[in-house]
């Protein structure tokens, strides 16, 4: 199953942000100085012919696309994109991966009831989350990234599913999964394995089992943010040793990301971040794209660029896409990352909007 199919299960989505906007004047100042870069997420299709790839990637480059995040190690796709001048990053599923269930079932996360993702995955059978506390998991991911970045046709690593399982789904999905998540329910709250309990005790001096309401413990929450951040920053060190870039696809705003998936992405050491600002998933309009970008840019405070992740199928018209793009750029996005196959109209609009001055 690739990301496109996975999205149909609706498991990328969260709740809308309530954090204040960045001041418009400073956003404009930032826009004038920045260098815009744009990306496309690609699930490589082996049926693509060499000629098709040549034409497609040339058209993307001409429209102002900087690079591609490619979901599988298809050397042909990577080399075809590079030949057209695009940067090529390998798009990697980070903590959600099933290949270790047979060999290392103990590496998988356990929920507050003690059930493991290895044999009782939450929501859908494809949710197989590794425990970020385990040194073996970190080493395994470091090895994966090293192997990927050793390849000469790969310019960078793009992390996805770099978080915990969703502890709360958006309200519009509750009926679909027949659950009421008005609070953090134990079966979706991770990870409570022995390693997590021991490391939390070591760092905070508290037995997790002595906390009456662990879901309300700020220290326990912080422990989990830092757990993901530690692994990301280690992978970042590897990327930079290879003199290659590291980026990540993350939940749409810093507040939503921390609250529902324990993802503290504004504190990561990245070269860029692509928040998935998929407005339709959140039942929001295109105005919210600007609001979400403003929040992310505010909390990043210039640490690294933010590329607004846009879900092309969510736009009802070309005009709406143009509006969404303008909202992202005028609120400080350093470009966009497109999910879906961009039409020529979309490419034309992108080229037009990124080449005109932003006011
Ligand atoms: Zn654990």
């Amino acid at each position: 199953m690739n990301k496109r199919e996975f999205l149909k299960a609706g498991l990328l989505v969260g709740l809308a942000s309530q954090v204040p906007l960045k001041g418009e004047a400073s956003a404009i100042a930032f826009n004038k100085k920045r260098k815009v870069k744009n990306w496309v997420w690609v699930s490589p299709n082996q049926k693509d012919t060499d000629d098709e790839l040549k034409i497609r990637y040339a058209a993307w480059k001409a429209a102002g696309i900087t690079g591609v995040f490619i979901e599988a190690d298809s050397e042909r796709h990577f080399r075809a994109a590079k030949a057209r001048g695009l940067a090529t990053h390998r798009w990697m599923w980070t903590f959600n991966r099933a290949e270790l269930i047979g060999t290392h079932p103990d590496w998988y996360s356990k929920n507050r009831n003690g059930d493991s993702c290895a044999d009782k995955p939450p929501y859908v059978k494809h949710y197989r989350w590794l425990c970020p506390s385990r040194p073996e998991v970190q080493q395994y991911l470091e090895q994966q990234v090293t192997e990927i970045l050793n390849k000469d046709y790969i310019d960078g690593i793009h992390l996805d599913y770099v978080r915990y399982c969703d502890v709360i789904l958006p309200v519009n999905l509750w009926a679909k999964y027949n659950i009421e998540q008005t609070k953090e329910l134990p079966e979706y709250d991770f990870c409570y394995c022995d390693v997590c309990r021991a490391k939390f005790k070591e760092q905070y001096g508290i037995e997790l089992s002595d906390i009456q309401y662990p879901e309300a413990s700020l220290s326990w929450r912080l422990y989990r943010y830092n757990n993901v951040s530690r692994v990301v920053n280690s992978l970042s060190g590897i990327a930079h040793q290879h003199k290659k870039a590291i980026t990540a696809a993350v939940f749409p705003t810093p507040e939503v990301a921390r609250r529902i998936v324990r993802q503290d992405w504004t504190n990561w050491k990245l070269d860029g971040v692509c928040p998935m600002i998929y407005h339709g998933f959140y039942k929001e309009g295109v105005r919210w794209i600007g609001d979400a970008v403003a929040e992310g840019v505010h909390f990043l405070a210039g640490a690294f660029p933010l590329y607004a992740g846009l879900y092309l199928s969510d736009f009802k018209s070309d005009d709406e896409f143009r509006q969404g793009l303008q909202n992202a750029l005028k609120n400080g996005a350093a470009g966009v990352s497109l999910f879906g196959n961009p039409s020529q109209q979309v490419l034309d609009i992108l080229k037009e909007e990124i080449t005109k001055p932003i006011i």
Side-chain angles (χ1 to χ4, degrees):
M1 162 176 274
N2 65 27
K3 184 68 172 277
R4 201 155 308 199
E5 292 160 343
F6 205 68
L7 277 169
K8 289 179 190 158
L11 287 166
L12 282 181
V13 296
L15 301 172
S17 139
Q18 295 174 340
V19 174
L21 303 183
K22 184 179 169 69
E24 196 160 341
S26 55
I28 291 167
F30 180 75
N31 283 337
K32 280 183 181 161
K33 282 187 289 180
R34 74 186 164 176
K35 185 176 183 310
V36 173
K37 289 185 179 178
N38 303 289
W39 309 86
V40 181
W41 280 291
V42 175
S43 295
N45 183 345
Q46 290 311 323
K47 290 182 188 151
D48 291 330
T49 67
D50 291 347
D51 279 346
E52 280 167 347
L53 291 179
K54 195 171 168 180
I55 292 165
R56 184 183 309 155
Y57 292 153
W60 290 4
K61 179 71 181 174
I65 300 295
T66 315
V68 283
F69 304 130
I70 302 182
E71 197 176 16
D73 186 10
S74 170
E75 185 173 346
R76 199 164 61 87
H77 284 80
F78 277 87
R79 293 210 184 274
K82 274 182 90 67
R84 304 269 74 80
L86 296 171
T88 54
H89 293 203
R90 173 69 193 281
W91 167 15
M92 182 181 95
W93 288 31
T94 311
F95 290 111
N96 182 19
R97 44 171 71 228
E99 77 267 23
L100 299 163
I101 291 172
T103 47
H104 297 289
D106 50 322
W107 291 7
Y108 284 82
S109 288
K110 285 186 175 174
N111 65 22
R112 212 186 320 143
N113 289 335
D115 293 324
S116 169
C117 287
D119 51 20
K120 261 189 138 178
Y123 305 116
V124 284
K125 66 178 180 184
H126 315 286
Y127 252 22
R128 306 287 189 166
W129 296 91
L130 292 170
C131 169
S133 286
R134 291 188 177 254
E136 310 92 297
V137 166
Q138 182 169 332
Q139 283 158 20
Y140 180 79
L141 295 174
E142 289 166 353
Q143 185 196 332
Q144 294 289 308
V145 169
T146 301
E147 282 172 19
I148 288 169
L149 293 180
N150 279 342
K151 295 177 176 168
D152 69 325
Y153 52 87
I154 298 182
D155 297 326
I157 189 85
H158 179 69
L159 307 176
D160 196 0
Y161 294 97
V162 57
R163 58 179 179 88
Y164 281 83
C165 170
D166 325 49
V167 64
I168 289 180
L169 293 177
V171 67
N172 60 329
L173 287 179
W174 294 1
K176 179 182 165 93
Y177 290 96
N178 195 26
I179 33 179
E180 285 183 8
Q181 290 181 316
T182 50
K183 58 182 181 179
E184 294 189 5
L185 299 170
E187 51 269 55
Y188 308 108
D189 186 19
F190 291 85
C191 172
Y192 289 76
C193 77
D194 291 345
V195 175
C196 284
R197 290 173 186 278
K199 286 192 181 282
F200 179 68
K201 169 90 191 293
E202 191 184 300
Q203 287 180 33
Y204 290 86
I206 311 164
E207 286 284 359
L208 196 52
S209 52
D210 289 345
I211 300 177
Q212 188 180 3
Y213 299 110
E215 67 273 34
S217 164
L218 302 182
S219 294
W220 177 227
R221 197 167 282 216
L222 186 62
Y223 170 85
R224 289 179 287 179
Y225 300 161
N226 291 342
N227 230 2
V228 174
S229 299
R230 186 194 66 254
V231 176
V232 169
N233 291 340
S234 162
L235 300 179
S236 168
I238 292 170
H240 293 152
Q241 276 164 20
H242 282 76
K243 300 200 175 356
K244 293 189 175 182
I246 182 165
T247 54
V250 297
F251 268 49
T253 75
E255 186 273 332
V256 173
R258 283 194 301 267
R259 178 160 47 83
I260 66 176
V261 294
R262 329 300 193 189
Q263 195 181 44
D264 188 20
W265 53 261
T266 59
N267 285 311
W268 295 353
K269 293 174 184 162
L270 298 176
D271 298 300
V273 71
C274 304
M276 296 174 280
I277 307 175
Y278 299 166
H279 61 289
F281 284 71
Y282 298 85
K283 293 187 180 271
E284 290 287 347
V286 291
R287 182 205 150 102
W288 177 73
I289 293 171
D291 295 343
V293 166
E295 184 191 325
V297 168
H298 171 77
F299 285 107
L300 281 170
F304 46 82
L306 179 153
Y307 307 105
L310 304 180
Y311 192 66
L312 292 177
S313 307
D314 275 350
F315 296 95
K316 296 184 193 81
S317 64
D318 290 340
D319 205 44
E320 209 181 61
F321 172 71
R322 187 188 295 275
Q323 276 296 319
L325 178 59
Q326 286 175 346
N327 291 344
L329 294 174
K330 76 179 179 202
N331 281 285
V336 291
S337 187
L338 305 177
F339 192 92
N341 199 16
S343 64
Q344 192 53 50
Q345 289 91 323
V346 159
L347 293 173
D348 290 345
I349 292 167
L350 178 68
K351 188 174 181 182
E352 234 176 274
E353 292 300 325
I354 61 174
T355 45
K356 74 184 187 195
I358 292 159
I359 47 164

